[in-house]
Amino acid sequence: MSFVFVLISSWAKCIVRVNCSYCFRPAKLIKAKELHPRKRGWLYICYNCKAHVGCHRGTREPLGYLATKDVRRLRHRCHKALDPIWQSQIVTRSETYEWVAKVLNLPAEEAHIGKLNKSQCQKLLVATKQLKYQFYGLLQKGDKE
Ligand SMILES: [Zn+2]
């Protein structure tokens, strides 16, 4: 009985319904290599909006919300700006994301770069730059526009 329950619940976990963040149609789960020959794993795609999002390594669980190319680029820039903050070990990763939640006025579960839209990314980039000025007194290398 419990085995069946475990089986059903783990099966249910595999089925994640993901909709496009733009047109709200159901996204299609494809192998990432269908899009980029060198990419591994899975991704959710909306062919209508040309938006997609990757999955957590080894899973079919999306990293966040589907994003178009400009938003994926902005998210990449957010990671480049934000990751060194917690990697510096001056603050922890969770403290950093608590700060992100506060800056963007989001609940903790939404304060992940993979879930941010264009304006949220832009706001975060500005705030991160201000934070770095505050703490380091100068822009770090790689922050040049
Ligand atoms: Zn769409």
Side-chain angles (χ1 to χ4, degrees), residues 4-36:
V4 173
F5 175 74
V6 169
L7 202 69
I8 290 172
S9 63
S10 62
W11 175 71
K13 253 187 254 170
C14 294
I15 302 169
V16 189
R17 188 159 176 89
V18 177
N19 287 78
C20 178
S21 352
Y22 305 92
C23 71
F24 306 109
R25 292 181 201 185
K28 198 172 176 231
L29 181 69
I30 63 164
K31 282 193 171 160
K33 68 179 176 191
E34 284 182 44
L35 215 62
H36 304 284

Side-chain angles (χ1 to χ4, degrees), residues 19-27 45-51 66 68:
N19 287 78
C20 178
S21 352
Y22 305 92
C23 71
F24 306 109
R25 292 181 201 185
I45 189 163
C46 172
Y47 290 107
N48 186 41
C49 301
K50 294 182 171 56
L66 271 76
T68 52

Side-chain angles (χ1 to χ4, degrees), residues 55-87:
C55 291
H56 288 280
R57 193 183 288 253
T59 75
R60 295 179 187 191
E61 191 193 328
L63 287 162
Y65 302 136
L66 271 76
T68 52
K69 195 171 189 176
D70 58 333
V71 176
R72 291 195 302 272
R73 278 190 182 149
L74 279 167
R75 286 178 182 175
H76 184 74
R77 282 180 55 200
C78 285
H79 268 297
K80 268 183 80 177
L82 208 64
D83 293 352
I85 294 175
W86 58 265
Q87 283 164 352

Side-chain angles (χ1 to χ4, degrees), residues 2 20 30 41 52 66 102 114 117-118 121 131 135 138 142 144:
S2 62
C20 178
I30 63 164
H52 61 78
L66 271 76
K102 205 180 281 179
N117 62 28
K118 190 176 183 173
C121 284
L131 185 77
F135 280 99
L138 63 134
K144 291 180 198 112

